[in-house]
Amino acid sequence: MLERVLVANRGEIAMRVIRACFDEGVTSVLATSEADADSLPARAADVVVGIGPANASASYLNVGAVISAALLTGCDAIHPGYGFLSERPELVELCDRYGITFVGPSASAIRRGGDKIAARELARSLGIPVGAGSGSVSTVAEAEVVATEVGYPVLLKAAAGGGGRGMRRVDSPAELADAVQAAGSEAEAAFGDGRLYVEHYVAHARHVEVQVLADRFGTTVHLGDRDCSFQRRYQKLVEEAPASAVPAELRRRIGEAAVALMSALDYVGAGTVEFLVDVEQNIFSFLEVNTRVQVEHPVTEMVTGIDIVREQLRIAAGEPLSFTQDDVHITGHAFEFRINAESPTRGFAPSPGTLQVWNPPAGAGVRVDSHCFPGYRIPPNYDSLLAKLICRGATRDDALALAARALDAFDVAGIETTLPLHRALVRHPEVRGHRVTTRWIEDAFLDTWTREHAREDRAGKVMTG
């Protein structure tokens, strides 16, 4: 059994892990920067230990500081959350050296799964469809050969990372040289690895991912799928579970592919396998593996009733999974909305400041994961995520209707947020009609909505004087 877990993260995911520790009867120790010393997670944790200044590179990204904090406070495990050090094999290796349990996969699984090129080759060897593309390319000439072979447009992607960093769309040969330089530089800065690969760009597809859990006894199961097609610049804004309008046979094949891939990695813990899906042609192709718990895990929890973070803690403690594949049942439909401190009408510019009002909705089928409270000063040093609003209904239409009411009731003042964008999305006929693909928000929704929202703001100001 685990006794003391160092929570090596901040914000809403830190609160999520602290809550899971409480439910498991485990002492939570929060590693916090100076900027977060008075945060809600710091107030909720059993013990707090400082790890450095506000600058993330000197605190949350400092492997030595995190390990030292765990040793200093007598922790027998570290939960990294998502982001920061969650996919850094060096942290896992130091945990192994000092006898600390890492709540996650092995360093080997992180390296093999996190290297996008190696993961593509593994998927291909297992007979899992992989989109047209390349291995590692190191020069413009190499990229040009692949791009010509697979056909423009193409995507340049970072081999060692994700989240849209080190990624560039290239529509013609004339754009390739600058894109290779920019993507490689960004990848090197973000991940310390400037390797790129080339992938054919699929304009009208859905981004579907499968949540997987695996224990140390060789049992690997999936918890169904999620649709993450609501994106802007490759960043997810909304997720839903299960993925909508996916035929049963295609859904089955995607789930089996995810389990096969994670089993081949000897994976332990919570992870996700991502795919591009063409529902019209009834085909899918492997995208990448995420070797950590993801931001959108609650939407799966809402439709399965399985607490993914508690299962992570149990697996790390050496326990078998508390359920089998046959025990996993998808009940109802759920949406998750990322509420960010950003201005969607000003190019999603950051909106740090102080929350004068913070009054999230509540009720049956409504869940809010957050670290915010009235008077909270949002630091400018980190990700802009304030909360995740998750709404579950008996059907997809029920979930959308509940989400519309909950978003309207979400009262925030003092900063700008993405709430107005979400309120428009849930009422859009294309969303209600299951017709959203990964490019829909940018190509068909955002510009029109921004203009209409600006007109409404001007009209409102005239009406109120």
Side-chain angles (χ1 to χ4, degrees):
M1 294 292 294
L2 301 181
E3 294 184 0
R4 293 170 72 88
V5 174
L6 186 79
V7 183
N9 216 298
R10 65 173 304 278
E12 70 85 18
I13 189 60
M15 284 297 299
R16 176 72 184 87
V17 177
I18 290 167
R19 187 172 75 244
C21 287
F22 177 85
D23 291 339
E24 285 293 296
V26 174
T27 299
S28 59
V29 180
L30 180 69
T32 181
S33 74
E34 292 174 359
D36 290 324
D38 193 37
S39 65
L40 193 60
R43 300 178 188 184
D46 296 309
V47 180
V48 177
V49 55
I51 56 170
N55 185 351
S57 63
S59 51
Y60 296 114
L61 288 169
N62 187 331
V63 177
V66 169
I67 288 290
S68 296
L71 294 172
L72 177 68
T73 55
C75 289
D76 52 2
I78 293 177
H79 194 306
Y82 54 71
F84 291 134
L85 297 175
S86 62
E87 295 179 282
R88 290 278 292 274
E90 308 95 293
L91 175 61
V92 186
E93 289 166 344
L94 279 176
C95 284
D96 292 342
R97 180 186 302 177
Y98 289 103
I100 299 169
T101 298
F102 180 75
V103 183
S106 67
S108 173
I110 291 176
R111 283 197 172 94
R112 293 176 67 202
D115 186 314
K116 311 305 181 188
I117 297 170
R120 282 167 59 88
E121 290 304 314
L122 177 60
R124 189 177 284 112
S125 73
L126 296 170
I128 298 171
V130 177
S134 72
S136 177
V137 295
S138 55
T139 67
V140 175
E142 290 175 351
E144 188 170 15
V145 170
V146 178
T148 301
E149 179 181 323
V150 302
Y152 289 92
V154 298
L155 278 179
L156 298 175
K157 288 186 172 183
R165 291 173 293 180
M167 187 182 296
R168 293 291 187 279
R169 174 179 168 176
V170 183
D171 293 319
S172 70
E175 302 172 11
L176 191 61
D178 288 344
V180 168
Q181 173 65 35
S185 297
E186 188 174 60
E188 180 66 37
F191 312 115
D193 185 341
R195 289 179 305 141
L196 302 174
Y197 65 99
V198 181
E199 192 174 75
H200 178 64
Y201 178 74
V202 181
H204 301 292
R206 291 184 179 174
H207 186 145
V208 175
E209 61 188 29
V210 178
Q211 176 70 59
V212 175
L213 282 168
D215 63 23
R216 300 181 187 277
F217 302 93
T219 301
T220 304
V221 303
H222 71 80
L223 307 186
D225 46 53
R226 303 185 283 253
D227 193 319
C228 307
S229 301
F230 293 83
Q231 298 180 14
R232 172 188 172 270
R233 295 187 177 178
Y234 312 110
Q235 300 292 316
K236 300 167 186 173
L237 299 173
V238 181
E239 298 90 8
E240 62 179 298
S244 64
V246 175
E249 177 61 18
L250 183 60
R251 194 186 303 277
R252 180 190 65 79
R253 287 162 49 206
I254 293 171
E256 290 179 352
V259 169
L261 186 60
M262 293 303 238
S263 297
L265 285 171
D266 295 323
Y267 198 86
V268 172
T272 306
V273 185
E274 303 195 353
F275 302 92
L276 272 184
V277 176
D278 187 327
V279 176
E280 292 181 359
Q281 296 189 50
N282 206 38
I283 58 175
F284 70 96
S285 61
F286 168 75
L287 273 179
E288 63 185 36
V289 173
N290 288 288
T291 57
R292 52 172 167 76
V293 70
Q294 285 194 272
V295 177
E296 58 269 25
H297 74 273
V299 76
T300 294
E301 293 181 329
M302 290 288 273
V303 296
T304 61
I306 293 170
D307 189 316
I308 293 170
V309 181
R310 291 185 71 178
E311 289 293 333
Q312 282 188 293
L313 294 172
R314 293 168 184 170
I315 291 167
E319 298 180 29
L321 283 171
S322 63
F323 57 91
T324 67
Q325 189 67 68
D326 289 341
D327 297 323
V328 179
H329 301 289
I330 308 299
T331 304
H333 203 99
F335 282 85
E336 176 176 305
F337 304 86
R338 301 190 187 194
I339 314 303
N340 294 333
E342 298 172 353
S343 172
T345 59
R346 295 188 295 112
F348 291 79
S351 180
T354 299
L355 288 171
Q356 298 170 3
V357 175
W358 180 260
N359 187 21
V366 175
R367 168 177 166 179
V368 178
D369 283 16
S370 178
H371 60 291
C372 293
F373 54 88
Y376 174 58
R377 187 188 66 80
I378 300 162
N381 314 83
Y382 312 112
D383 183 87
S384 64
L385 183 65
L386 300 177
K388 301 180 305 199
L389 170 66
I390 310 99
C391 297
R392 178 193 169 277
T395 66
R396 187 174 188 272
D397 286 345
D398 291 339
L400 280 171
L402 177 60
R405 296 196 302 273
L407 287 162
D408 286 347
F410 209 134
D411 191 11
V412 180
I415 61 165
E416 291 187 76
T417 73
T418 51
L419 279 167
L421 176 79
H422 292 311
R423 290 169 182 148
L425 281 173
V426 295
R427 293 174 167 88
H428 199 285
E430 295 291 294
V431 173
R432 294 183 175 277
H434 310 262
R435 292 186 289 272
V436 173
T437 62
T438 54
R439 290 293 307 172
W440 179 80
I441 283 183
E442 289 181 280
D443 290 349
F445 172 80
L446 195 55
D447 286 347
T448 300
W449 174 79
T450 300
R451 289 193 297 270
E452 292 175 350
H453 194 71
R455 283 198 298 270
E456 291 171 2
D457 280 351
R458 288 193 296 270
K461 289 175 182 177
V462 169
M463 291 293 291
T464 57

